[in-house]
Amino acid sequence: MKFAGATRTHPAELAAVKLAEDANEVVRAAIHDTNTLLQQHKALSRPTRRLSPKTGPLHALLPGEILASLKFEQDCLGALAHALDSLQRLDQKKLAAAKAVVTQSGAQEAKLLPLLDQRMARSGVFQAARSKDSELVAQMMERRTSWVMQQLGRVGKVDTE
């Protein structure tokens, strides 16, 4: 995800953009880690694989580790969704402030209206992009949980019902 369109003029906006970027990076790493744990679990769960005294305890712990990793993914995705929501609210506040400036400008209002129209158009594009990003985050949370639980269920270690 790219967070283009945020002007980053407000300290809270800077913080929200940074949070979104950081959460996006951490989500990618968390997904990679969860997938690695799932691969280890699958490899140790093969019917032809004998569990040694070293791998037996590891195999028993992996489902819990996988679920903890998935929980961390969900927490990171939640932080990303929160940052996206914050960016939308900040943009709405900035647009409201721009409208207030134009309506209070008196004789200069006619000159400022085209600028306000441009700002409103940019805001509309920004709001639509963040809404789509938020929808994608929600879908990703649901799909990742479902997929990981399905993978664990295939090995027979977690009841997916």
Side-chain angles (χ1 to χ4, degrees):
M1 276 176 221
K2 293 185 180 178
F3 307 103
T7 58
R8 303 177 188 204
T9 57
H10 192 277
E13 193 171 28
L14 285 169
V17 167
K18 176 107 176 79
L19 177 62
E21 290 170 345
D22 290 350
N24 193 35
E25 271 186 52
V26 174
V27 163
R28 290 173 191 243
I31 288 171
H32 178 267
D33 292 347
T34 303
N35 289 341
T36 300
L37 290 169
L38 280 167
Q39 289 170 355
Q40 290 174 357
H41 191 254
K42 284 179 189 177
L44 291 172
S45 298
R46 290 191 187 115
T48 58
R49 175 99 184 186
R50 282 193 190 164
L51 296 177
S52 72
K54 283 185 175 181
T55 58
L58 174 64
H59 183 256
L61 293 174
L62 276 172
E65 292 293 319
I66 291 166
L67 293 175
S69 186
L70 178 63
K71 170 83 170 84
F72 182 68
E73 282 182 33
Q74 300 298 314
D75 291 346
C76 293
L77 286 166
L80 178 57
H82 176 73
L84 293 170
D85 185 52
S86 293
L87 285 170
Q88 283 184 294
R89 284 193 315 270
L90 287 166
D91 185 69
Q92 290 168 349
K93 288 179 183 178
K94 287 169 57 177
L95 184 58
K99 287 178 182 178
V101 166
V102 169
T103 57
Q104 295 172 5
S105 64
Q108 301 297 319
E109 186 173 351
K111 292 179 183 178
L112 294 175
L113 281 175
L115 293 173
L116 179 60
D117 289 343
Q118 290 174 1
R119 175 64 179 92
M120 290 174 66
R122 282 194 316 269
S123 180
V125 169
F126 182 80
Q127 292 288 333
R130 296 304 70 81
S131 290
K132 185 174 180 176
D133 289 345
S134 293
E135 288 173 18
L136 291 173
V137 168
Q139 289 174 4
M140 188 174 186
M141 290 173 85
E142 183 180 316
R143 288 179 182 163
R144 277 296 294 172
T145 300
S146 176
W147 184 80
V148 169
M149 297 305 288
Q150 182 183 43
Q151 297 305 305
L152 284 171
R154 283 186 181 162
V155 180
K157 296 297 179 187
V158 173
D159 183 13
T160 58
E161 303 274 322

